[in-house]
Structures are given as structure tokens and as C-alpha cells.
Amino acid sequence: MSFFNTNNTATSSSTVADKDIEVADAPTDSISSLAFSPTADYLAVGSWSNEVRIYEVGQSGQTQGKAAYSHEQPVLSVCWNKEGTRLFSGGADKAGRMFDVTTGQAQQVAQHDAPVKCVKWIDSPSGGILATGSWDKTVKYWDLRTPNPVSTVQLPERCYTMDVVYPLMVVGTAERHIQMYNLANPTTPYRVIESPLKWQTRVVSCFPAANGFAVGSIEGRVAIQYVEEKDTSQNFSFKCHRKDGGTKDSTLVFSVNDISFHQQHGTFSTAGADGTINFWDKDSRTRLKTFDPAPGPITATAFNRTGSIYAYAVSYDWSKGHSGMVANHPNKVMLHACKEEEVKKRAKVAK
């Protein structure tokens, strides 16, 4: 099913060589979440327009709207199941919803007492489970065959961010709490730490190897953290998404809004409220690429399943509240064709 004129596609890469391509018919309000299907080049986009849209991305970067469904309030998170047949979303309407790609039908599958900030699919050996993290200070696990959660985990504070690479799940909450879970025992935290960063946690993202995670804060810093205490010597943090303030000793500091890992190479991107994106290699501790600044904050990012396409959203990030949402603020999703040298790890320099 198509929700737009099928002839309305983005400019193909043949006419804009090496330039990032804008997705046709972007949502009409701020974009909160991006997720590529694990089995095909379908991109899900959640937004403050209360809607989830699914786009098909062609080989030359052209896009076509394929389906859409709605929440009653802003959509805050989207994710796919392993097979790419179902799409899940969480919203400010306190609901988790599922869209069946094969039937085109959407239904509510989860409920919280406050907005659902994060949805993540857990592909466990015993079957798929949906995890939902909420501002009601809980994570709930849902078996889609039953209407009630199979278990509920109490968090120390509101869930702000969550990521899963089986068997690791990491939850970042208000007041800088970070909880790590071994999903073989999903109801009890494996380790609990305070964020190594001094300011509010904005995003956590698990390593593809599931042995650690990156955490980004509102203060333009990222920390690389390993799960096991024996590996803590490899932990480090670094500054990013900062600008010279123009006067002596002044620095403009921006939030790190999203972190995405490249599944094949283990390198990662950081995206900031300053409108910039960087690609990094954590093992050699080097920056691989810096994008030209966008005309607004980068709110969400995602690599496709092969790591050849990188999607990023340019829109208002609500960091300045309602008053910051000015007229004509850019609102778009861009696609970047990744070159090997941008995402491949650098050789370690022998000491």
C-alpha cells in the first residue's frame, strides 16, 4: 500500500553524485526515531506528527512511501522484528503499537502509565519479545501472544534511552542511572552504574559484539563503556559536538542526540544538536569522518542492514522547549551512501 503519489520520489544519486539524498514526503513535524528493516531497505520514521511512515529505498537512493499508521500523540521510538515483517512503535499516548507489514494492519500491543520512550525487539532463543521503556519508571516485556506483560522491571527513574544487542540490554534513565541486563535473566540488572558523564544521559547504544555500549550526554560528550569490570581499563570518554564560543575560553556545548553502530565494522556515528555528524573508530580512538553541518539539529540516525546507507533526520530536537519550535524549521530525512574508508576501522598504531 502506498500513502503518497508513487511518482513522487527523491532525486536519484545519478544527478547529485556524492551528495546526500533527501527522502521524499518527510513527516510534517520533528522526527524522533529512525530504523531500517533488518531484511530489506525499508526505513521506518517516527515523528511528532503522531505518525509512523515506512519508505522503500531504491538502489540509487530514490524513496517511495509504502505505508503509514498513527498514534494518538507523538511517536517517540520505532523498531523492527528480526524478520522485518513487523514494525513496533512507542508514543506519548502511553501505547506500544505493532504494524504488520504483510497485512497492513496496526494494533496496540503494549500499555504504560506514562509515555513510552523506547521500544526494542529482543530476539531471544526462546522466541521474540518486545521490550518497552517508559517515563513511568518501568521496562515491560511483552509476548505478543498474550495481552499482559510477561514481566515488569522497576527502574530507579524515568527511562530516557534503551538499546538491545542480545544478550545485552542497556537502559539509561533520568538522574544518570545506567542499568545493564543479561537477557538470559531479564528481570534483574546485571550491573548498575552511574553514568561516567556528569550531565543528563541522552542516548545509549550497544556495541555489535554486545560486550559494551556508548553513552552520550547533553553536554557534548560520549563515553565508551565495557560491561565486564575486568575490561574497565578500556573505558574512556571524549568531547564532541562543541564549537568555539567566539570569545576567550568560551565553548558552545551541544547535546549528543543519537549514536548508531555500523554492524559490520563496529565503528559508530554521533549526531548532535549542532547539526553535525561524526563517524568514529573506538578501538583506535580516531575520528573517521565529519559531515558538513546541517541546517538544524540531527535528531535520529540509522545504518541499513549492510551498512551501505546511513539515514539521518534534520529537525527540531525540543531542547529549547516549545518556544524553540520556530516557523520554517527544517524537517527532513537524508540518506548518505557510505564509502568504505568512512566506516572501516583504522589499523592500530604499534606502540
Side-chain angles (χ1 to χ4, degrees), residues 171-186:
V171 181
T173 75
E175 305 300 332
R176 300 170 48 238
H177 300 287
I178 294 179
Q179 298 195 319
M180 302 167 231
Y181 293 83
N182 180 339
L183 291 170
N185 181 22

Side-chain angles (χ1 to χ4, degrees), residues 191 207 211 224-237 282-283 285 348 351:
R191 277 190 71 197
F207 301 168
N211 61 340
I224 299 298
Q225 291 287 122
Y226 285 81
V227 172
E228 300 298 339
E229 292 193 44
K230 65 179 176 61
D231 297 324
T232 54
S233 62
Q234 299 181 67
N235 294 347
F236 68 97
S237 63
K282 67 177 172 58
D283 296 334
R285 302 191 182 188
K348 289 186 178 181
K351 293 183 179 180

Side-chain angles (χ1 to χ4, degrees), residues 76-77 89-96 110-120 130-142 152-162 169-174 179 181:
L76 303 178
S77 181
S89 53
D93 55 0
K94 309 176 186 178
Q111 180 71 41
H112 280 266
D113 296 328
V116 178
K117 182 62 173 67
C118 306
V119 292
K120 291 293 176 184
L130 178 66
T132 55
S134 170
W135 291 344
D136 67 8
K137 304 181 184 179
T138 68
V139 168
K140 295 183 179 182
Y141 298 109
W142 306 84
T152 300
V153 177
Q154 296 296 322
L155 300 174
E157 253 293 350
R158 290 153 289 164
C159 176
Y160 280 173
T161 176
M162 181 169 74
M169 182 173 81
V170 180
V171 181
T173 75
Q179 298 195 319
Y181 293 83

Side-chain angles (χ1 to χ4, degrees), residues 74-314:
V75 177
L76 303 178
S77 181
V78 294
C79 74
W80 296 84
N81 69 342
K82 179 187 175 183
E83 294 77 21
T85 55
R86 291 172 170 178
L87 177 66
F88 302 93
S89 53
D93 55 0
K94 309 176 186 178
R97 300 184 189 275
M98 178 183 75
F99 178 80
D100 189 314
V101 174
T102 55
T103 65
Q105 299 298 309
Q107 66 183 93
Q108 183 172 341
V109 293
Q111 180 71 41
H112 280 266
D113 296 328
V116 178
K117 182 62 173 67
C118 306
V119 292
K120 291 293 176 184
W121 184 253
I122 299 172
D123 186 46
S124 72
S126 57
I129 292 289
L130 178 66
T132 55
S134 170
W135 291 344
D136 67 8
K137 304 181 184 179
T138 68
V139 168
K140 295 183 179 182
Y141 298 109
W142 306 84
D143 181 332
L144 301 179
R145 296 167 295 185
T146 58
N148 297 315
V150 290
S151 59
T152 300
V153 177
Q154 296 296 322
L155 300 174
E157 253 293 350
R158 290 153 289 164
C159 176
Y160 280 173
T161 176
M162 181 169 74
D163 197 23
V164 172
V165 175
Y166 193 85
L168 174 65
M169 182 173 81
V170 180
V171 181
T173 75
E175 305 300 332
R176 300 170 48 238
H177 300 287
I178 294 179
Q179 298 195 319
M180 302 167 231
Y181 293 83
N182 180 339
L183 291 170
N185 181 22
T187 57
T188 304
Y190 180 74
R191 277 190 71 197
V192 177
I193 64 170
E194 184 177 80
S195 171
L197 306 177
K198 295 178 181 178
W199 294 83
Q200 177 183 304
T201 302
R202 192 80 171 90
V203 58
V204 295
S205 184
C206 296
F207 301 168
N211 61 340
F213 59 95
V215 53
S217 77
I218 62 169
E219 191 234 353
R221 282 181 187 266
V222 169
I224 299 298
Q225 291 287 122
Y226 285 81
V227 172
E228 300 298 339
E229 292 193 44
K230 65 179 176 61
D231 297 324
T232 54
S233 62
Q234 299 181 67
N235 294 347
F236 68 97
S237 63
F238 61 95
K239 299 175 184 177
C240 52
H241 302 288
R242 295 171 173 227
K243 292 179 183 175
D244 185 340
T247 58
K248 185 181 179 182
D249 299 328
S250 69
T251 303
L252 299 175
V253 179
F254 297 87
S255 171
V256 179
N257 286 336
D258 208 359
I259 297 173
S260 294
F261 275 89
H262 192 284
Q263 295 303 307
Q264 285 73 26
H265 295 302
T267 53
F268 66 98
S269 67
T270 62
D274 58 348
T276 67
I277 296 168
N278 297 302
F279 286 177
W280 308 86
D281 177 355
K282 67 177 172 58
D283 296 334
S284 63
R285 302 191 182 188
T286 56
R287 186 183 345 225
L288 302 173
K289 177 183 174 61
T290 299
F291 284 62
D292 292 334
I298 310 297
T299 53
T301 60
F303 285 102
N304 72 337
R305 69 195 191 286
T306 61
S308 60
I309 301 172
Y310 178 74
Y312 61 95
V314 183

